[in-house]
Amino acid sequence: AVLGLLCPFLASAQDSLRIGLPEAEARFLKSNLTVLAAKYDIPIASALVMQAKLYPNPNLQVTGGLYNPDLKKFPDVSNQTGQYTFDVQQLIILAGKRAKQVKMATLNLDMAQNRFYDLLRNLKYALHSDFYQIYTGLEAIKAYDAQIATLQSLVEQYKALEQKGVVTGKDRIRIQSLLYGLQSSRQQVQQDITDAQSDLQLLLHGNGTFFVPVPELDKWKAISVSSLPLQSLVDSAYNNRFDLKLAQTNVRYSEQNLALQKAMAVPDLTLGAQFDKRGSYVNNANFLTLAIDLPFFNRNQGNIKAAKLGVEQDKMRADIQKESVENDVMKAYSQALNAEKTLQQIDGSYLANYQEITAKMLENFQKKNISLLELTDFLDSYKESILQMNQLTTNRFLAVESLSYAVGTP
């Protein structure tokens, strides 16, 4: 029955797969190319932490005599007559600049992790949304197909009766018009499913596979948004929203950059040793060298000022992000609460008993207990009920998913 229902969607598909949300998430984490590519950002940032911990390499310089014009010797680096020097230098980083660079690299690693987990949050929300839109769409298609089959049978009966002159073409056209309306609505739902299915296949790296969502409805029925305190949801968002953590980490990164720029105003020291064979005031001369820039002109003033402004800017952005998180949670909570209450106030059980109700209506119509107008009104009302219930159910699923998305955790 399921394969028959899916035939219009499987025309170009190679396979169909019934899948629950936990299985879909596991497949998503394992095979989604965007996630797999983004994962590399974390080890890349980790490698940069390792690089920041490394000390500068010492520098070795060797100089030898190329040509001795007195002895006409080429080259001449001998101990007896030649000349050569050895210079070794080591840069000594002062003012804790290396430690500050390590801290900045570590914060950059934290930001890479925050960006990755926020990407997961966004992609999982898209996955969940597509999952439930496909599910509710397929449920609506089932109801449409049952009603379309009934109307098609009724149209055929009226065509036969019209040929016998028992009924007029006007009555057949009324039923046929309702049938066309149902088929048009079904086609729109089918298009929505196709769009969501395309997105889901991309997320699950499953081109050619038609995914049939199987939600855990018992868990959904147990969800009560009204029982969740709003403040606890906001507090949870503070702890679980990685875009907020990213903004806060940006502030710490800017503060660390300011500390580094202040340290950069202190020049580094170059320590060296030199050996000169016979080119100095005595043979085999040894020297100790110290070199440091004199900070008369450049004391890194511009970078320090820019870093200070950057700290203030990132603090403001973090405050904006925190307000945005609070607003997201309150908005999503209100929408989820409204969707829950609206669905609770509507009795949709009659939709599940469509075959029985329709059979009784047709029986009463054949017994002339009701008119054709009453029958078509019932069928038209039922079509609208299907649309409304499908939209309300979809709204309920998506509203809870939006709340989870806003809070940052299921």
Side-chain angles (χ1 to χ4, degrees):
V2 174
L3 289 178
L5 173 67
L6 300 180
C7 281
F9 309 107
L10 298 178
S12 60
Q14 299 173 359
D15 195 10
S16 65
L17 177 65
R18 292 173 61 84
I19 190 169
L21 193 54
E23 294 81 7
E25 284 191 353
R27 176 170 177 147
F28 161 75
L29 293 173
K30 181 180 179 182
S31 60
N32 183 271
L33 297 181
T34 302
V35 172
L36 295 177
K39 271 186 177 180
Y40 284 101
D41 290 338
I42 296 175
I44 288 172
S46 180
L48 294 177
V49 174
M50 178 184 67
Q51 181 63 36
K53 292 179 179 180
L54 301 178
Y55 289 94
N57 291 323
N59 176 265
L60 172 63
Q61 180 176 337
V62 179
T63 305
L66 181 62
Y67 179 69
N68 189 328
D70 293 335
L71 301 177
K72 299 184 173 20
K73 189 175 181 180
F74 179 85
D76 188 1
V77 291
S78 64
N79 285 330
Q80 293 76 20
T81 60
Q83 160 65 0
Y84 54 87
T85 62
F86 290 94
D87 292 276
V88 178
Q89 292 183 335
Q90 175 66 51
L91 180 66
I92 308 299
I93 299 176
L94 302 179
K97 286 192 280 288
R98 174 179 164 276
K100 292 176 175 62
Q101 288 171 336
V102 171
K103 289 181 180 178
M104 289 185 67
T106 304
L107 289 170
N108 187 57
L109 172 59
D110 292 342
M111 290 190 290
Q113 292 172 332
N114 290 335
R115 281 190 291 267
F116 175 73
Y117 289 120
D118 191 54
L119 173 67
L120 283 184
R121 182 178 72 96
N122 284 279
L123 292 180
K124 279 187 177 182
Y125 174 68
L127 169 66
H128 289 201
S129 298
D130 292 332
F131 183 91
Y132 288 115
Q133 283 180 325
I134 294 171
Y135 168 74
T136 55
L138 290 176
E139 290 298 303
I141 289 290
K142 289 180 185 179
Y144 275 128
D145 285 347
Q147 194 173 14
I148 286 172
T150 299
L151 284 174
Q152 286 175 332
S153 175
L154 198 58
V155 167
E156 293 302 320
Q157 292 176 23
Y158 262 69
K159 281 183 179 179
L161 293 174
E162 183 183 357
Q163 291 176 354
K164 294 178 181 179
V166 178
V167 297
T168 64
K170 178 182 177 182
D171 292 335
R172 175 185 58 79
I173 291 173
R174 180 187 295 275
I175 301 173
Q176 211 158 21
S177 175
L178 184 58
L179 172 62
Y180 292 156
L182 275 172
Q183 290 172 331
S184 176
S185 297
R186 184 192 187 282
Q187 183 180 11
Q188 181 57 55
V189 174
Q190 180 176 326
Q191 183 59 50
D192 293 340
I193 294 174
T194 301
D195 293 341
Q197 185 68 219
S198 176
D199 293 339
L200 189 61
Q201 288 177 356
L202 185 62
L203 287 167
L204 300 184
H205 194 52
N207 291 342
T209 300
F210 186 91
F211 295 101
V212 182
V214 184
E216 297 174 305
L217 296 179
D218 290 339
K219 287 186 177 181
W220 268 94
K221 291 177 182 177
I223 293 175
S224 175
V225 176
S226 58
S227 66
L228 302 174
L230 176 59
Q231 188 56 50
S232 69
L233 294 175
V234 174
D235 293 339
S236 181
Y238 290 156
N239 295 324
N240 293 287
R241 282 283 293 267
F242 285 97
D243 52 345
L244 177 59
K245 290 183 179 181
L246 178 60
Q248 293 168 341
T249 306
N250 272 330
V251 174
R252 297 197 299 274
Y253 185 88
S254 294
E255 290 172 341
Q256 193 61 44
N257 180 55
L258 174 59
L260 175 62
Q261 295 306 323
K262 289 179 177 179
M264 293 292 287
V266 178
D268 293 328
L269 175 68
T270 300
L271 178 65
Q274 183 183 59
F275 170 80
D276 192 324
K277 178 64 181 172
R278 53 170 49 85
S280 186
Y281 67 101
V282 293
N283 290 339
N284 299 323
N286 294 281
F287 301 94
L288 174 67
T289 61
L290 296 173
I292 191 169
D293 291 338
L294 301 179
F296 292 155
F297 308 112
N298 182 356
R299 296 186 299 279
N300 211 35
Q301 302 97 314
N303 287 333
I304 291 173
K305 183 176 181 180
K308 286 180 179 178
L309 294 173
V311 170
E312 297 304 316
Q313 183 183 50
D314 284 336
K315 283 182 178 179
M316 190 172 296
R317 287 173 174 169
D319 290 339
I320 293 172
Q321 187 62 36
K322 185 177 181 180
E323 289 182 6
S324 177
V325 167
E326 294 171 355
N327 183 66
D328 289 347
V329 174
M330 288 187 288
K331 179 181 177 181
Y333 180 77
S334 176
Q335 292 175 339
L337 203 59
N338 290 335
E340 179 177 87
K341 289 180 178 178
T342 303
L343 201 57
Q344 287 173 346
Q345 293 169 356
I346 295 177
D347 179 17
S349 59
Y350 71 93
L351 291 174
N353 302 321
Y354 167 74
Q355 294 289 356
E356 180 182 347
I357 298 172
T358 303
K360 289 181 180 179
M361 292 295 293
L362 288 173
E363 182 181 351
N364 285 320
F365 174 68
Q366 291 167 353
K367 291 179 180 179
K368 301 188 182 303
N369 292 332
I370 60 173
S371 65
L372 176 61
L373 180 60
E374 290 174 312
L375 176 64
T376 54
D377 282 347
F378 161 75
L379 295 175
D380 189 51
S381 298
Y382 194 83
K383 179 197 76 171
E384 293 301 319
S385 296
I386 292 174
L387 287 171
Q388 291 169 4
M389 279 301 298
N390 181 61
Q391 189 60 54
L392 289 173
T393 304
T394 302
N395 290 347
R396 159 74 166 151
F397 280 129
L398 297 184
V400 174
E401 287 302 328
S402 294
L403 182 58
S404 296
Y405 175 72
V407 173
T409 185

